[in-house]
Amino acid sequence: MEVFNDRAIIERYRLPREAIRQLLEATGEDLRRSTRRSFALTAETQLLAALRFFATGSFLQVVGDGHGLCKASVSRSVQAVTDCLLRLVPEHLTFPTREEMTGIQGHFFRTHHIPQVTGVVDGTLVPILTPHDDGHIYICRKGYAAINCQVVCDHRGIILDVVARWPGSTHDSFIFRESTIGREATASRGEWRLLGDSGYPLRPFLFTPVANPEDDHKRAFNEAHRLARSVVERTIGRWKMRFRCLHRSSGGLLFSPAKACAVICVTAMLHNIAVWAGLQLDEPEED
């Protein structure tokens, strides 16, 4: 990392230098390989190769060329780093405490006049390699194999919760109903609620747009709902722009479903680290 200045580090790895050092401290012991060879990959090399892959979504050979590694070494590095970072995800993707909820709800009420909103939920498709077994259930409505991910974020674009386990053909409402966040929202008895699009059912804990609004009040609610819910669309767009391995334009994740789901969760965590560090991106492309 000493070769590049701070701006180049962010452009290449999507994280600031200090955040990468902290990740290295947290994973370094696990990444050090027991080998008798003289040229074992260092923990830093493995971490940077994996971050570069997450950031670009390039072929493993292309990533390897930039770090003096062969394709097989990059593949092993991505797997090892993903496994290590996955253990850190629960520390960085957390639902807000009651005190934090008060602040989030206050923002949504002041800005959009919708009470008790703690987050916004939406689904997004991440392309993957079509599995040999049960490949048909991974084909999404757009005609390619994917994981259908559920994302909940707050008004700042922080990802509060991500569910990455369901095939692309699974409906958003089913994923929500089966998710931990869905069950917790149901049990909240309306103390807090989420906003979702018309693909979700209207519930006391899940506000959706009014179908066929007939008066000005309902149309005003739909407009406020649209503006409030747009934060999750921007968050997903920035997440995929920051880590292009998730985006269809880069070919998606050419991994098995289990490995792809692990990368999705890890990049969601890295996205939050980037947002907390104040890193900005240009307006995202439409997802």
Side-chain angles (χ1 to χ4, degrees):
M1 289 195 298
E2 305 306 324
V3 176
F4 302 106
N5 60 34
D6 290 343
R7 181 172 180 178
I9 287 285
I10 293 171
E11 289 177 350
R12 290 179 63 84
Y13 304 113
R14 304 298 193 264
L15 294 174
R17 190 186 304 272
E18 185 56 33
I20 295 175
R21 284 177 175 156
Q22 290 173 2
L23 291 176
L24 188 59
E25 289 177 5
T27 61
E29 286 299 322
D30 294 327
L31 290 175
R32 291 189 181 94
R33 297 178 178 175
S34 298
T35 178
R36 295 180 179 178
R37 296 183 178 181
S38 302
F39 300 102
L41 294 182
T42 65
E44 179 178 317
T45 297
Q46 294 176 70
L47 178 60
L48 292 180
L51 290 177
R52 184 60 176 162
F53 169 74
F54 297 153
T56 63
S58 298
F59 291 112
L60 297 179
Q61 183 64 62
V62 176
V63 174
D65 289 345
H67 290 80
L69 304 176
C70 67
K71 179 180 177 180
S73 293
V74 176
S75 178
R76 288 192 293 269
S77 296
V78 170
Q79 181 68 66
V81 170
T82 299
D83 291 344
C84 289
L85 294 181
L86 195 60
R87 294 193 284 271
L88 305 179
V89 168
E91 302 174 18
H92 296 83
L93 264 70
T94 58
F95 208 67
T97 63
R98 187 170 296 275
E99 182 179 353
E100 292 168 338
M101 277 188 186
T102 301
I104 297 172
Q105 291 172 350
H107 172 86
F108 278 106
F109 186 74
R110 289 191 304 273
T111 307
H112 305 291
H113 308 292
I114 305 176
Q116 297 176 296
V117 176
T118 299
V120 188
V121 60
D122 201 4
T124 187
L125 296 166
V126 176
I128 65 169
L129 187 68
T130 305
H132 292 295
D133 297 328
D134 297 324
H136 63 284
I137 67 174
Y138 288 89
I139 303 302
C140 66
R141 66 184 183 277
K142 297 183 179 180
Y144 54 84
I147 298 294
N148 191 0
C149 305
Q150 176 180 282
V151 176
V152 178
C153 75
D154 66 9
H155 60 287
R156 301 165 297 175
I158 295 292
I159 297 176
L160 306 175
D161 186 75
V162 62
V163 177
R165 55 176 292 209
W166 295 99
S169 63
T170 312
H171 197 277
D172 289 351
S173 61
F174 176 86
I175 297 175
F176 181 79
R177 186 171 68 248
E178 295 296 314
S179 67
T180 299
I181 199 72
R183 291 190 290 270
E184 291 178 351
T186 303
S188 72
R189 300 182 181 276
E191 292 183 4
W192 55 271
R193 59 176 54 95
L194 302 173
L195 299 182
D197 63 21
S198 55
Y200 296 95
L202 176 63
R203 295 289 186 270
F205 50 83
L206 180 58
F207 277 10
T208 60
V210 177
N212 303 314
E214 301 171 350
D215 56 49
D216 290 343
H217 292 293
K218 292 178 180 178
R219 284 189 285 270
F221 171 80
N222 276 5
E223 178 62 13
H225 185 284
R226 182 187 68 81
L227 293 174
R229 200 182 64 81
S230 65
V231 67
V232 73
E233 297 172 346
R234 294 195 301 273
T235 297
I236 291 172
R238 290 186 174 117
W239 174 34
K240 288 187 173 183
M241 175 179 281
R242 181 170 275 129
F243 299 105
R244 301 291 295 188
C245 67
L246 306 177
H247 203 281
R248 193 182 180 195
S249 65
S250 297
L253 295 171
L254 302 182
F255 301 144
S256 67
K259 186 174 179 180
C261 292
V263 171
I264 290 167
C265 292
V266 164
T267 55
M269 175 189 73
L270 297 176
H271 165 83
N272 281 357
I273 292 174
V275 175
W276 288 324
L279 300 188
Q280 301 295 322
L281 282 174
D282 295 331
E283 282 301 303
E285 302 170 0
E286 290 187 8
D287 176 27

